[in-house]
Amino acid sequence: GEVIGIIWADDPRSRLLPSTELLQALRVFANQATAALDSASRFEEMRYLAEHDPLTRLYNRRAFNHRLRVEASRSRRYGTPFALVVLDVDGFKGINDVHGHLAGDAALARVADLLGQPLRAADAAFRIGGDEFALILPELERETAEAAVRRIAAHLEQVCAAEGRPVTASFGVAVFGGDAH
């Protein structure tokens, strides 16, 4: 039902429509082109979903495991720290039980939106399962990572409370690098 391309079929000199045979050939071409574009679009979506959570559009657990291995290897090799932050949405089961799964999904999507906002370009946010999320924050020492978590938690609480849907999360922080591997 949507336009994905245009085939211009008149003769630019005479402005006449092409012959019936040519129009039929153009219809066949248009149908094949549409199928090819649709297939390419579906392929790109599948490739995207291989590393992203369909609900939150954050990176998924598979991408998390890969990125964690990469950052740990980089940390050991170059001696640079990185912080791993894991968070769990508080009372999520209650949201689902009282308001239903659509409200729970909306809460998870909102948390994901808020997690992505205060991050640096090198940082990454992941949904690793259910109501659990993780952040990988390269090149942060413990104090800076803890300050970042306090900002994220305050931002989450402030925005969700202002929207009339109080959502909080519990955070854990581990810093790798230097002496801690």
Side-chain angles (χ1 to χ4, degrees), residues 32-52:
Q32 290 175 345
T34 299
L37 289 171
D38 185 50
S39 178
S41 174
R42 289 174 193 256
F43 176 76
E44 285 303 314
E45 179 69 6
M46 291 304 293
R47 188 153 73 179
Y48 179 84
L49 290 175
E51 291 188 334
H52 292 80

Side-chain angles (χ1 to χ4, degrees), residues 151-166:
R151 281 193 311 276
I152 291 168
H155 181 65
L156 175 68
E157 288 184 46
Q158 177 186 13
V159 170
C160 290
E163 293 174 351
R165 292 177 274 167

